[in-house]
Amino acid sequence: MVDKPGPKHVVIVGGGFAGIGCARKLASQKEVRVTLIDKNNYHQFQPLLYQVATSLLAPDDVAASLRKLFRHSPNVDVKLAEVTTVDPTAKTVTTSSGEVYQGDYLVLAAGSQPNFFRTPGAEEYSFPLYSLDDAERLRSRILKVFEDADREPKLIDQGALNFVIVGAGPTGTEMAGALAEMINNTMTVEYQDLAVTAAKVYLVDHGHAVLGPFSEKAHEYAASMLKRDGVQIRLGVSVQEVTPDHVLLSDGTTIKTRLVIWGGGLMAAPLASKVGLPQGRGGRISVRPDLTVEGFPGVFVLGDFANIPSPDGRTQPQLGSVALQAGRWTAQRILYEIKNVSYWPFNYHDKGFMAMIGHGAAIAEIGEHRHELHGPVAFATWLGVHAYLMSGVRNRIDAFIEWAWDYFSASRGPQELDRTDAARIDWSEDEDIDEEPEAGEEEIS
Ligand SMILES: Cc1cc2nc3c(=O)[nH]c(=O)nc-3n(C[C@H](O)[C@H](O)[C@H](O)COP(=O)(O)OP(=O)(O)OC[C@H]3O[C@@H](n4cnc5c(N)ncnc54)[C@H](O)[C@@H]3O)c2cc1C
């Protein structure tokens, strides 16, 4: 009697959109068993991080427990561990605590990290917005500067209520809109003794448009919506240095601030340099149209961790919809290979780009032909696409729907100042508070 072969082992690194998309499609398939490894025991829904940072949503609303997600899938084993090295030839991954997992297939989907482009002080003193941890730290810092300024209004002269957002791409623009709304609608009501109107949100970008990847009409619309909410837009200048109490811009001006939010760019997660595969733009792994790397059959690299070729000769954008579709496609591809069925290259069904700038102020460029929508219709489209993305990673999307409903009624979620590490500000570091700006420096206040 010949033994029936056991299920093939698929090792997935990363429980983001790509990893979850793959694992969910493989769940309950008898041909495979899956080990899903993530350094967090939850999936974080990045598109809603700025709602957490501005207290519109609670952290729990945008995080989904990985174990809960797969509790009815006996062939999926979730491991909480940080992968530190990968051997793509042996198809093994090794974790920081020394465990080694070997698969018949490896799926590498470890996502991105902020790219500070070696800007002095940016990594030390700015607040990125890439993870749930980042969003919670940022929320605490925003609340702390308001609390400190409320107690000691003189701190406003030290830049307490100046907020500098670096990068006018989707992350920076959405964050600027949400922060301006938080200040205008909530802080004015909650801090009645404080001159909240002194608060300023600066959006700085070395490019010449807000929401660069969008159309020209969208650039103007986004800029006008931000200006309506009081955001000061500084285009064509870059941030040269971030310090504990100010930023220095390339035109020689300084802005006193205790909160710089970094939306300046992304690069592949640190693991990319430890996987022994060729790295391309942004440190991402360059893959073929079937999401594998030449010479390493059975090793798939996807999502933000990869440069995935697109039919126009460029690479696919770093988007949740690209990652989710790539994850699902990889699962199908593995199942086809096991069953000896032929397959076709990964083909991304382009959903377009969208960004939400504030109440009823959204932009959507739909599909490959970029049909453009603005305002409430675009907001409704944004909701639909995000509900689709969220349903790809969690079963219950009621918190999201509830938030969307509340958003129209302008109510706010939790405002607890719970991250003391991020909230601690040493106001004494500020120098020359009462002095004029130095020669050659223009002070913006
Ligand atoms: C603020 C913000 C807003 C966004 N808004 C949108 C939007 O509106 N629409 C949209 O389509 N896209 C949006 N994106 C982009 C989208 O979130 C990403 O493209 C998507 O999350 C990429 O999915 P991924 O699975 O490749 O990576 P991720 O979702 O980043 O997941 C990577 C996973 O790998 C884990 N990991 C990393 N390193 C290791 C390691 N060494 N060991 C173990 N685990 C590891 C991480 O913990 C994480 O869970 C936004 C991104 C940000 C930051």
Side-chain angles (χ1 to χ4, degrees):
M1 199 176 110
V2 183
D3 277 348
K4 249 178 94 187
K8 298 280 186 194
H9 187 201
V10 183
V11 176
I12 303 176
V13 180
F17 283 106
I20 295 289
C22 185
R24 285 192 85 172
K25 209 164 167 80
L26 293 176
S28 313
Q29 298 287 337
K30 59 184 182 329
E31 294 85 359
V32 290
R33 67 182 178 93
V34 176
T35 303
L36 173 63
I37 308 172
D38 200 294
K39 60 182 179 176
N40 298 310
N41 72 347
Y42 53 84
H43 165 88
Q44 45 200 345
F45 191 80
Q46 289 172 341
L48 297 179
L49 289 181
Y50 72 87
Q51 279 88 344
V52 174
T54 54
S55 303
L56 281 165
L57 282 176
D60 277 3
D61 297 335
V62 305
S65 152
L66 292 174
R67 288 192 186 280
K68 209 165 159 191
L69 204 54
F70 292 102
R71 70 180 160 186
H72 299 304
S73 310
N75 72 330
V76 179
D77 189 11
V78 174
K79 295 286 179 223
L80 170 66
E82 178 159 9
V83 171
T84 46
T85 54
V86 174
D87 181 340
T89 309
K91 297 200 193 78
T92 57
V93 307
T94 305
T95 69
S96 56
S97 44
E99 294 94 13
V100 178
Y101 296 90
Q102 181 164 37
D104 298 290
Y105 296 96
L106 286 190
V107 177
L108 305 178
S112 301
Q113 61 176 324
N115 190 345
F116 297 102
F117 297 101
R118 296 202 187 96
T119 308
E123 191 165 355
E124 294 91 319
Y125 303 119
S126 69
F127 286 69
L129 185 60
Y130 195 74
S131 63
L132 189 57
D133 193 51
D134 291 341
E136 292 182 77
R137 293 178 71 243
L138 184 48
R139 183 184 67 176
S140 288
R141 184 68 164 212
I142 294 169
L143 298 175
K144 183 73 161 99
V145 286
F146 273 95
E147 294 295 354
D148 286 1
D150 182 57
R151 209 183 48 248
E152 182 81 63
K154 249 176 55 190
L155 297 176
I156 296 176
D157 296 336
Q158 285 178 245
L161 297 186
N162 288 346
F163 303 94
V164 179
I165 299 172
V166 185
T171 300
T173 302
E174 292 191 325
M175 186 63 212
L179 183 56
E181 255 183 11
M182 181 186 192
I183 292 168
N184 297 339
N185 301 342
T186 308
M187 298 324 212
T188 41
V189 178
E190 295 196 352
Y191 292 86
Q192 303 212 354
D193 289 341
L194 178 67
V196 173
T197 47
K200 291 196 175 68
V201 177
Y202 297 93
L203 181 63
V204 180
D205 197 296
H206 59 75
H208 293 278
V210 173
L211 287 182
F214 289 65
S215 74
E216 219 163 279
K217 224 167 107 196
H219 299 162
E220 284 163 25
Y221 175 77
S224 69
M225 289 295 111
L226 290 175
K227 282 181 191 158
R228 178 199 68 179
D229 291 340
V231 175
Q232 312 222 358
I233 302 172
R234 303 289 312 267
L235 297 176
V237 283
S238 55
V239 171
Q240 300 266 286
E241 189 184 8
V242 181
T243 77
D245 54 23
H246 70 268
V247 294
L248 172 63
L249 304 184
S250 57
D251 61 2
T253 58
T254 58
I255 305 175
K256 288 181 177 180
T257 179
R258 298 302 177 134
L259 180 44
V260 177
I261 301 169
W262 192 265
L266 292 175
M267 60 197 277
L271 182 64
S273 60
K274 309 276 169 47
V275 298
L277 296 171
Q279 290 175 265
R281 196 162 167 258
R284 292 179 279 270
I285 309 298
S286 305
V287 295
R288 302 187 298 184
D290 68 351
L291 309 185
T292 63
V293 178
E294 181 88 54
F296 298 97
V299 179
F300 297 87
V301 190
L302 36 152
D304 279 11
F305 204 53
N307 281 322
I308 302 174
S310 86
D312 64 6
R314 297 194 290 184
T315 52
Q316 299 290 2
Q318 275 68 59
L319 284 178
S321 44
V322 175
L324 188 59
Q325 288 182 34
R328 288 174 173 165
W329 180 87
T330 302
Q332 190 61 62
R333 156 85 156 80
I334 290 172
L335 293 172
Y336 278 168
E337 191 171 299
I338 294 170
K339 294 174 187 165
N340 277 325
V341 176
S342 56
Y343 47 83
W344 49 92
F346 171 59
N347 180 19
Y348 170 55
H349 297 291
D350 193 344
K351 306 258 179 242
F353 292 127
M354 43 206 76
M356 217 227 314
I357 307 153
H359 268 88
I363 298 175
E365 293 186 358
I366 309 293
E368 284 169 30
H369 300 294
R370 301 283 180 260
H371 177 63
E372 191 160 315
L373 304 169
H374 294 174
V377 188
F379 179 63
T381 311
W382 183 96
L383 278 181
V385 169
H386 284 73
Y388 154 80
L389 271 179
M390 200 171 237
S391 68
V393 291
R394 61 192 291 176
N395 296 321
R396 294 176 69 239
I397 59 168
D398 36 340
F400 177 66
I401 302 295
E402 200 182 307
W403 166 76
W405 178 255
D406 283 356
Y407 194 64
F408 280 109
S409 62
S411 80
R412 229 157 243 284
Q415 300 228 105
E416 290 91 14
L417 204 167
D418 50 6
R419 295 293 301 267
T420 45
D421 57 331
R424 196 172 301 118
I425 305 170
D426 181 0
W427 292 100
S428 66
E429 278 169 10
D430 195 85
E431 358 164 291
D432 307 334
I433 337 162
D434 296 317
E435 290 181 12
E436 290 297 309
E438 286 182 20
E441 283 188 353
E442 178 200 332
E443 186 187 14
I444 301 169
S445 57

